[in-house]
Structure formats: C-alpha cells, structure tokens
Amino acid sequence: MNNNRNSKIETLKRRGRRKHLMNELSYMTLPENAFLDIEENQLFCQKVFTFLQSREEKVQIHGNHYREHIEKSEQVLKEMVKKVKITPTQGRLLFFRDHEIEALLVNVGGSV
C-alpha cells in the first residue's frame, strides 16, 4: 500500500515538472498531446539511446562554455538538416531535466 502511495506521489510530481516545462516553452506552439505516457517516454528514450550507442559515426560537441556548446550544437544540426530529403511535420525533442528526460513532441518546419 505504501508503494502505491509513493508511486502516486511521484506521478504527481512528474506532472508538476511537465507543467513547469510547458510553462517554460509557452512561446512555442506545441501539439495537444506533446508528452508520452511516463512508461512510453522511458521506453522511447531507451530506444533512442540504444540507437545512438549502436552508431559507428558518433559526434561529440565540446566547447569552453555553454554558449560555445550551443553554437556548436546549432552548427551540427544545420549540417544534419542539409542531408534531410523530406522534412517531417513533427519530431521529438529530448529535454534533460534534473529528475528525468522528457521526449516532447514539437512541430517542425516553419509551424513552430
């Protein structure tokens, strides 16, 4: 019974953190169901990291400070976008938070 109560408390905390993230991103137009269920989110993130680990050509982005990290990340993303033949309308953006990683659904290609 105590386990069930703790699970409910953690779920409520997670919902609160998700609501806070949505408030931080209020400048963006997000799809209605931007979040996966908590269990689905965890499985999705595990699949993403498994895929990334399996890749032979890995890219590491290093900078002297956070602004340089951002600039280098933008440069790598721009290079990757040039290789995309068909732009999807939506994609998952991973947000690394203190307690978890959220795979948030975002609009792509001018509708953001």
Side-chain angles (χ1 to χ4, degrees):
M1 177 122 166
N2 196 21
N3 245 358
N4 193 21
R5 184 171 183 229
N6 288 341
S7 177
K8 286 182 181 181
I9 290 171
E10 283 305 312
T11 299
L12 290 173
K13 287 180 181 178
R14 179 87 176 247
R15 286 183 187 158
R17 290 189 294 267
R18 284 179 167 196
K19 186 175 180 179
H20 181 72
L21 176 59
M22 292 297 284
N23 289 338
E24 288 180 25
L25 300 173
S26 62
Y27 63 92
M28 295 175 67
T29 303
L30 298 171
E32 183 145 338
N33 296 317
F35 290 104
L36 294 168
D37 290 332
I38 292 171
E39 295 81 20
E40 286 179 283
N41 185 79
Q42 186 172 346
L43 288 172
F44 178 82
C45 291
Q46 286 174 346
K47 287 180 183 179
V48 167
F49 289 112
T50 298
F51 169 75
L52 292 174
Q53 281 297 111
S54 71
R55 292 197 50 139
E56 290 183 23
E57 296 178 29
K58 294 181 177 74
V59 175
Q60 289 189 354
I61 302 168
H62 294 286
N64 294 324
H65 48 79
Y66 80 97
R67 288 240 184 247
E68 194 172 345
H69 289 299
I70 293 170
E71 291 167 2
K72 289 185 176 200
S73 296
E74 287 176 346
Q75 182 181 10
V76 169
L77 285 172
K78 286 177 183 176
E79 290 171 12
M80 292 175 78
V81 166
K82 289 178 186 175
K83 297 177 185 176
V84 174
K85 293 181 181 13
I86 299 174
T87 304
T89 58
Q90 294 181 324
R92 293 258 174 218
L93 184 59
L94 300 182
F95 283 90
F96 292 75
R97 310 297 284 182
D98 291 335
H99 300 281
E100 61 269 322
I101 300 171
E102 293 291 357
L104 190 69
L105 185 65
V106 296
N107 296 319
V108 180
S111 58
V112 176

